[in-house]
Amino acid sequence: MTTFVSPEAQVAAVESLIRRITPAVAERFELRIIAPENGADVFEIDARDGRVRLSGSGGVALASAFHWYLKYCCEAHVSWSGVQLDLPDPLPATPGPIRKVSPHRYRYYLNFCTFSYSMPWWTWERWERELDWMALHGINLPLAAIGHEAVLIGALGALGLNEEEVRTWLAGPAYRAWGLMGNIDSWGGPVSRAWVDAQCALQQRIVKRMRELGMQPVFPGFAGHVPEALRRVFPHAGILQLPGWYGYPGVHFLDPRDPLFKVLAREIVEQQRRLYGPGEFYATDLLHELEMPEGGHFDLKAAAQGILEGMRAANPEAIWVMQSWSLRPDVLRELPANQVLVLDLFCDSEPKWTQTDAFHGKPWLWCMLHNFGGRTGMSGRLDRIASDLPNALRHPKRGDLRGIGIAPEGIEQNPVIYDFMAEMAWRTESPDLAGWITRYTRRRYGGDAAEARKCWEILARTVYRGPTAYGPVESVICARPSTNVQRVSSNGSRKRYYDPAELREAWRLLYQCRDCFARRETYRYDLVDLGRQVLAESAEPLYAAAIQAWKRADGAALREAANRFLQLIDDLDDLLATNEHFLLGKWVSAARAAAPTEEERALFEWNARTQVTLWSSPEIPEFHDYANKQWSGLLKSFYRGRWERFFQALEKSVASPGSFDEPGFRKELLAWEEEWARRRTEHPDRPVGDCIEVTGRLIEKHGGAVDPAR
């Protein structure tokens, strides 16, 4: 795998990373490049006399060595939700050299969706922290999708389209992922040239740093999605309108068998090279989540060959990176093995390598998807990762397994899952999971406390031992109100696989550690997150009590249950308001700040508000609440607003429950949701209140089992 920068540049980049993370002791680390072991990445750690020598086969290996030393020698911790970096002085010695060899040539990261659910408003400052996180966690093959709008404007402009035709075709920032994957046109746009240029400049900094750290960027590829306006310039080209995606109008598709396809594909790769430097890996999918054109009689094999030839026309070394998510067998079967790389995207729940003869012998990666829609909720499958990934490495029918991947739709949640999965990049066997969790607890909080250990023992056997599921168990609070709520999002579930009483006990145990860990941002985040989980689940019996009271025409009981339900939302909002990671205002403020003009500020705020609520238009129910979030501000202003209106409507019909016009209410509520998404109201973008004080109050109020009759 080509890195494009010198070993000296990679050493310098990791030295800078160490200065950013541990500036007080950075001079105590010595770095050097060593040879790979039989082509595999390797690192060594040798610490003595207060100095630490880190050796690695490249920048990522060196950063991984630094991280391993922090974790296992200093019991320190780095995560999205805070760091714990109280390092011993002097720095601890190692009992002897520590050497780790990665069994995984490729360690992939990100999902197109991540760029919309988590990253649409990121500045360079936030991206720099993420690039550090990637290097520390062993990532050497990250998706680099920022700034592709400039590539498309340049490439389509070279074929005769004017800039406005391309910009009005592009999706807005919160929806760019589905534009890149070829599912939608224009939704959330149009974007301005100023925004396109700013994203281009940001991408140039991102890929420069990736290469300096020894990573190889994966650029968006081209699978045929084009503006309808291309027909104006090429009226005889094979441009089809595809069947619509979940209710959106069908996009236009340039048949890969058409000679124009190779011309445009070459132009896209050349524009990428001009703007962002050389590449080798290109991620795209043929007809991602789309029905085939031509009544299903489309030649997938020929189209797939056309896509690969288009990539390699401009770059003979191009490798097509494709997802297994909606991969059709005919796309892959006859492609050359040395020119493709398959991401088995959902191995943590639904592996496809076992169903496809390991993708017919093509190189593939064992990936964890984990999160859908960036939804909040404690969930994950630590036990499955611990067992299934090592088993795949040993399996006689594993085929050409080249590595692992972390491909969530949204990040900045459930840090324990990502810490464990990334660490497996340097292991062939899983560590003892119970022992690993104990050490994780110590390094996350910077100390040992029996209550914290017991808390995490509970979490490891409950929320982090989930069944096959599309993300966390969802709370009825985030559901569109109904007399029969089945689920919140289209692929979510409200079915619990653990006892909520155990989580209440875990919350109390963690709160008991406050005198030890109150100043730790990691502890404060976990205290809020666990409290969020407990309170969100407490809504279930109150909802059930309200509906039962309505059905038996008991107005007093309905009002009691409804008032307690709404008060619970207020309490949950108050708790989340104490932590910066759970604020609607932070998301909305970042969207406004990303916009170069006042007009675009309104558009970007609409992007931000709509994505986490309706997602799409009222007429497309498939995505409503798909990206639901338990955030302060969103709870009080949106979810509470919906439920308050619902309970008021139920009360009006309590004397005759059959008179409740639920379809009519839903229509009125959708109109209200649309109006909410267009608002420009302010929400706090900084924490309010103290999580320790609020937690103590809420544990006293909600710490026991919820009795709807109380």
Side-chain angles (χ1 to χ4, degrees):
M1 188 172 77
T2 309
T3 56
F4 301 116
V5 298
S6 69
E8 294 78 14
Q10 294 180 58
V11 167
V14 178
E15 288 174 339
S16 296
L17 178 154
I18 293 173
R19 285 193 295 272
R20 284 191 294 275
I21 294 172
T22 56
V25 297
E27 299 307 316
R28 302 183 198 177
F29 289 86
E30 301 172 9
L31 278 60
R32 67 180 182 128
I33 297 289
I34 58 175
E37 182 175 302
N38 299 321
D41 271 344
V42 59
F43 69 70
E44 293 179 353
I45 307 167
D46 190 6
R48 65 186 75 176
D49 301 324
R51 299 197 65 79
V52 185
R53 170 173 283 189
L54 305 177
S55 306
S57 50
V60 170
L62 284 170
S64 298
F66 173 62
H67 192 212
W68 197 278
Y69 180 76
L70 290 180
K71 289 172 68 171
Y72 286 103
C73 299
C74 302
E75 293 201 320
H77 183 73
V78 178
S79 79
W80 294 309
S81 52
V83 300
Q84 187 285 109
L85 290 168
D86 279 359
L87 305 186
D89 189 13
L91 291 177
T94 53
I98 298 171
R99 183 177 174 87
K100 294 288 178 181
V101 181
S102 177
H104 302 290
R105 178 180 179 184
Y106 299 125
R107 283 95 62 188
Y108 175 84
Y109 182 50
L110 294 175
N111 183 315
F112 279 107
C113 297
T114 327
F115 290 86
S116 287
Y117 285 132
S118 298
M119 302 169 163
W121 324 119
W122 281 11
T123 62
W124 167 247
E125 179 184 22
R126 180 61 186 87
W127 264 108
E128 185 172 51
R129 294 200 306 273
E130 192 68 15
L131 292 163
D132 287 348
W133 186 97
M134 292 183 202
L136 293 172
H137 290 81
I139 304 302
N140 65 0
L141 195 66
L143 184 61
I146 296 294
H148 194 59
E149 294 83 1
V151 171
L152 294 171
I153 287 173
L156 290 164
L159 268 62
L161 269 66
N162 63 58
E163 182 181 305
E164 185 177 0
E165 287 175 313
V166 183
R167 285 194 297 100
T168 55
W169 165 69
L170 296 170
Y175 300 94
R176 77 190 326 166
W178 300 277
L180 291 172
M181 290 187 288
N183 300 124
I184 59 176
D185 293 340
S186 307
W187 185 254
V191 294
S192 68
R193 182 66 202 221
W195 182 80
V196 170
D197 290 344
Q199 293 292 292
C200 178
L202 179 59
Q203 173 77 331
Q204 288 168 343
R205 297 185 76 175
I206 290 168
V207 297
K208 181 176 183 290
R209 180 63 56 81
M210 286 178 175
R211 294 187 176 107
E212 289 170 348
L213 290 166
M215 302 173 191
Q216 170 71 285
V218 179
F219 291 117
F222 177 60
H225 180 210
V226 294
E228 182 181 11
L230 194 61
R231 284 176 168 170
R232 176 182 61 77
V233 184
F234 298 97
H236 303 297
I239 299 173
L240 314 170
Q241 184 170 19
L242 297 177
W245 180 68
Y246 292 109
Y248 279 91
V251 301
H252 288 80
F253 174 75
L254 175 59
D255 193 323
R257 300 167 294 182
D258 191 287
L260 181 61
F261 186 95
K262 189 178 292 186
V263 174
L264 181 52
R266 182 189 299 114
E267 193 64 44
I268 286 173
V269 172
E270 289 177 352
Q271 288 287 336
Q272 284 171 331
R273 184 185 295 119
R274 181 178 67 82
L275 292 172
Y276 307 131
E280 184 179 344
F281 296 88
Y282 300 89
T284 193
D285 297 286
L286 176 57
L287 303 175
H288 172 74
E289 293 188 349
L290 294 170
E291 297 298 323
M292 286 198 296
E294 301 178 356
H297 302 294
F298 187 69
D299 190 338
L300 284 169
K301 293 180 184 179
Q305 190 63 45
I307 291 172
L308 185 60
E309 289 175 358
M311 291 178 187
R312 296 176 74 88
N315 184 353
E317 305 301 318
I319 294 175
W320 180 2
V321 179
M322 59 180 72
Q323 302 176 117
S324 66
W325 185 255
S326 58
L327 178 64
R328 298 167 175 88
D330 285 348
V331 170
L332 185 63
R333 202 180 301 274
E334 296 182 13
L335 296 178
N338 65 342
Q339 297 175 17
V340 297
L341 183 64
V342 182
L343 308 176
D344 199 356
L345 209 67
F346 202 15
C347 268
D348 50 325
S349 281
E350 298 176 7
K352 290 191 176 179
W353 70 273
T354 57
Q355 307 166 27
T356 57
D357 191 24
F359 300 104
H360 315 293
K362 304 303 189 291
W364 66 281
L365 306 184
W366 196 104
C367 297
M368 175 188 79
L369 203 164
H370 180 259
N371 180 276
F372 289 84
R375 300 171 202 155
T376 43
M378 301 180 85
S379 69
R381 313 195 74 196
L382 283 173
D383 56 326
R384 285 290 298 270
I385 296 167
S387 62
D388 291 8
L389 179 52
N391 289 344
L393 278 171
R394 296 188 298 267
H395 201 286
K397 295 184 179 181
R398 68 186 179 278
D400 193 2
L401 174 56
R402 296 281 183 95
I404 62 175
I406 299 174
E409 288 193 355
I411 57 172
E412 300 182 299
Q413 33 73 30
N414 291 288
V416 65
I417 295 291
Y418 296 88
D419 191 308
F420 185 77
M421 179 65 183
E423 189 175 302
M424 294 301 292
W426 299 98
R427 294 186 181 274
T428 56
E429 299 289 342
S430 176
D432 170 67
L433 198 51
W436 189 91
I437 286 290
T438 296
R439 295 200 69 172
Y440 174 86
T441 306
R442 284 204 305 267
R443 62 179 177 260
R444 183 156 173 83
Y445 304 143
D448 194 19
E451 295 85 357
R453 290 199 308 273
K454 291 177 184 176
C455 168
W456 274 94
E457 287 170 7
I458 293 171
L459 297 180
R461 71 170 182 259
T462 55
V463 288
Y464 291 122
R465 202 177 184 89
T468 299
Y470 285 76
V473 174
E474 295 181 311
S475 171
V476 70
I477 288 172
C478 301
R480 174 166 286 105
S482 165
T483 57
N484 185 24
V485 172
Q486 295 295 312
R487 61 183 62 195
V488 179
S489 61
S490 57
N491 66 352
S493 172
R494 290 170 56 224
K495 185 178 181 181
R496 272 153 188 76
Y497 51 88
Y498 50 84
D499 183 354
E502 289 205 84
L503 291 197
R504 290 194 294 273
E505 175 62 18
W507 192 28
R508 284 194 293 268
L509 286 165
L510 196 60
Y511 176 65
Q512 289 169 18
C513 303
R514 61 194 180 280
D515 292 339
C516 300
F517 305 136
R519 68 186 183 89
R520 304 287 190 199
E521 58 183 340
T522 46
Y523 170 77
R524 297 173 78 87
Y525 173 90
D526 287 352
L527 189 65
V528 171
D529 195 30
L530 182 49
R532 177 206 51 73
Q533 192 81 12
V534 170
L535 295 181
E537 291 177 351
S538 298
E540 294 293 333
L542 297 175
Y543 165 73
I547 298 303
Q548 289 303 314
W550 172 73
K551 287 181 177 179
R552 63 176 186 267
D554 186 340
L558 170 59
R559 282 190 295 276
E560 170 67 15
N563 288 337
R564 290 181 63 194
F565 188 98
L566 296 175
Q567 181 58 57
L568 180 67
I569 294 177
D570 291 342
D571 289 342
L572 179 54
D573 194 286
D574 289 346
L575 176 65
L576 296 175
T578 67
N579 191 279
E580 66 171 332
H581 297 91
F582 299 99
L583 302 179
L584 171 65
K586 188 175 179 182
W587 171 254
V588 171
S589 295
R592 292 171 178 161
T597 67
E598 180 58 36
E599 180 181 4
E600 218 157 16
R601 277 191 281 278
L603 175 66
F604 285 12
E605 180 166 356
W606 178 90
N607 269 245
R609 287 172 170 269
T610 301
Q611 190 216 77
V612 299
T613 53
L614 277 169
W615 204 101
S616 54
S617 69
E619 293 76 27
I620 304 178
E622 178 70 23
F623 297 128
H624 294 173
D625 296 298
Y626 182 89
N628 65 85
K629 304 288 192 298
Q630 292 163 35
W631 283 347
S632 176
L634 191 60
L635 282 155
K636 277 188 178 177
S637 72
F638 184 76
Y639 296 129
R640 193 188 199 283
R642 294 202 304 196
W643 282 105
E644 195 169 24
R645 285 163 174 76
F646 175 72
F647 289 134
Q648 288 170 355
L650 286 191
E651 280 201 54
K652 290 179 181 178
S653 67
V654 73
S656 177
S659 68
F660 177 49
D661 178 12
E662 190 147 2
F665 171 78
R666 177 183 173 84
K667 185 177 180 180
E668 291 176 5
L669 194 62
L670 286 169
W672 177 83
E673 289 175 293
E674 270 201 296
E675 183 274 324
W676 185 93
R678 290 193 297 269
R679 291 179 187 175
R680 304 293 302 279
T681 50
E682 298 288 335
H683 297 277
D685 57 4
R686 295 185 180 181
V688 177
D690 176 71
C691 73
I692 306 292
E693 182 277 323
V694 174
T695 297
R697 172 168 56 84
L698 295 181
I699 283 180
E700 184 175 349
K701 183 176 182 180
H702 299 286
V706 178
D707 178 6
R710 179 170 55 83

